[in-house]
Amino acid sequence: SMVEGVSINYATSSYENHAWNFIKINGNYYFTDVTWDDAGEPDSSEKIHYTYYNCTSDFMNKDHKIKDTYEYPVPETPSCTATEENYYIKNNAVLESFDAVKIANCAVKKGETYICKFLYLGDENLNAWLQSNFSSIRVALNANIRHASITTVGNEYTITFS
């Protein structure tokens, strides 16, 4: 089912009218916002994000607020507390600290490029860590990589190694 409300765009500090979904998987409810996970780059899997894919109510409430009233009947919004189907948890891609092996384990190889997507819960600076640990990443990936580019959306990190 769909819910409507406002979401807070922290880049512009503005509120936006918006809609997102709650879904039921294996008896548990989750929020999913495909709009905020779509970077608008067609045919580019590197630009697809999973930050708002099967999230808890607590997570969504950080920047999404559900409307109090509707002009049409809607089902009661459930409390979404399960985490089993969250993209990052299900793919073992939640990192509390940077580690070359853990980052390499999140990698998907596409040609000569490796794309690593993970949710980072720590406070270490990734750029500084990469500069100090690039050779460790190269060993963990078993690849002759020379460059890294980083994209972040909230706590979601995408590192592209080439």
Side-chain angles (χ1 to χ4, degrees):
S1 294
M2 184 179 73
V3 294
E4 291 181 38
V6 293
S7 53
I8 303 164
N9 183 333
Y10 287 108
T12 63
S13 298
S14 62
Y15 291 89
E16 303 169 343
N17 288 325
H18 188 56
W20 56 97
N21 300 92
F22 64 88
I23 57 176
K24 188 175 186 179
I25 303 172
N26 296 326
N28 294 312
Y29 286 97
Y30 301 88
F31 280 112
T32 295
D33 187 341
V34 296
T35 302
W36 274 32
D37 277 345
D38 178 5
E41 303 278 338
D43 303 325
S44 178
S45 64
E46 295 92 46
K47 303 298 182 191
I48 297 172
H49 303 285
Y50 299 98
T51 304
Y52 295 93
Y53 185 80
N54 297 346
C55 299
T56 64
S57 296
D58 287 344
F59 181 84
M60 289 298 279
N61 288 337
K62 291 178 183 179
D63 50 23
H64 288 63
K65 181 178 178 351
I66 297 173
K67 285 172 62 172
D68 293 328
T69 60
Y70 290 87
E71 296 173 11
Y72 49 87
V74 296
E76 183 177 331
T77 305
S79 177
C80 302
T81 58
T83 58
E84 294 86 8
E85 297 297 328
N86 174 274
Y87 176 83
Y88 294 104
I89 291 172
K90 192 167 189 159
N91 288 287
N92 199 25
V94 177
L95 297 142
E96 294 184 14
S97 62
F98 294 126
D99 176 275
V101 173
K102 289 178 184 176
I103 290 173
N105 287 341
C106 297
V108 174
K109 186 176 182 184
K110 293 190 174 186
E112 295 300 314
T113 301
Y114 293 83
I115 300 168
C116 306
K117 285 184 183 288
F118 57 90
L119 191 66
Y120 179 56
L121 303 178
D123 57 9
E124 189 174 359
N125 181 290
L126 178 59
N127 287 320
W129 184 88
L130 271 178
Q131 288 178 352
S132 300
N133 294 279
F134 200 79
S135 61
S136 298
I137 293 282
R138 185 179 291 154
V139 170
L141 287 172
N142 192 25
N144 188 23
I145 55 171
R146 295 187 180 137
H147 305 283
S149 64
I150 304 166
T151 304
T152 60
V153 175
N155 289 353
E156 178 192 75
Y157 286 72
T158 303
I159 309 174
T160 304
F161 295 104
S162 56

